[in-house]
Amino acid sequence: MKQLTLKALFLSGVAAFSMNVHASSVYDQCVDDAQKLIAAGIEGGNTAAREVQQSTTIDQCKAALTEIEAKYEGQFKFEKDGKEYVRAPYSVMTAEDREMWATLFNAIDTKNFMGVRYLMAVYYRQ
């Protein structure tokens, strides 16, 4: 009887964890993946970081980045004198969205095993 209770408890814990993972946004998962890679890089270098299991793909993270940019598309793309001009998307974003955009951009760099934070973690272990 104890085994049945422990199995039920374990299964309910796994189900709750998996629902929690699916409930969090792609943004949160991308940032979490980047933090895991950086932590692994500090501990074990580039080899250890490349062995970390990631919960999202780079394409999913780029799609989340595009969603943030889509809110401002009419503002950073404009026409003047018959020519189409494009500004950097972050130049027209609110401070909150700019911070999210920059954090996600850095996370994508880290997931590509590039970027300042990742390189500092794997090479200098800091």
Side-chain angles (χ1 to χ4, degrees), residues 60-75:
Q60 289 173 318
C61 296
K62 286 182 180 179
L65 191 69
T66 304
E67 286 177 19
I68 296 171
E69 292 173 356
K71 293 185 217 176
Y72 301 96
E73 191 162 342
Q75 296 174 14

Side-chain angles (χ1 to χ4, degrees), residues 21-22 24-37 52-64 104 107-108 110-113:
V21 168
H22 291 296
S24 64
S25 69
V26 173
Y27 172 84
D28 293 331
Q29 290 176 2
C30 291
V31 172
D32 187 49
D33 283 349
Q35 290 172 348
K36 287 178 190 175
L37 288 171
V52 171
Q53 180 69 32
Q54 299 182 33
S55 60
T56 57
T57 64
I58 293 171
D59 291 335
Q60 289 173 318
C61 296
K62 286 182 180 179
L104 188 54
I108 291 170
T110 301
K111 288 173 71 66
N112 276 321
F113 305 107

Side-chain angles (χ1 to χ4, degrees), residues 3-102:
Q3 289 181 344
L4 182 61
T5 306
L6 289 175
K7 285 181 183 178
L9 181 63
F10 178 74
L11 289 175
S12 65
V14 168
F17 175 75
S18 66
M19 284 191 296
N20 188 23
V21 168
H22 291 296
S24 64
S25 69
V26 173
Y27 172 84
D28 293 331
Q29 290 176 2
C30 291
V31 172
D32 187 49
D33 283 349
Q35 290 172 348
K36 287 178 190 175
L37 288 171
I38 289 170
I42 291 171
E43 291 298 316
N46 191 33
T47 306
R50 288 185 182 270
E51 293 175 359
V52 171
Q53 180 69 32
Q54 299 182 33
S55 60
T56 57
T57 64
I58 293 171
D59 291 335
Q60 289 173 318
C61 296
K62 286 182 180 179
L65 191 69
T66 304
E67 286 177 19
I68 296 171
E69 292 173 356
K71 293 185 217 176
Y72 301 96
E73 191 162 342
Q75 296 174 14
F76 69 86
K77 289 183 179 181
F78 62 95
E79 281 192 36
K80 184 177 179 183
D81 301 327
K83 295 181 182 178
E84 186 173 319
Y85 295 94
V86 180
R87 288 189 231 164
Y90 63 83
S91 66
V92 295
M93 291 181 181
T94 63
E96 295 83 20
D97 283 344
R98 188 179 306 127
E99 183 178 353
M100 287 179 60
W101 184 85

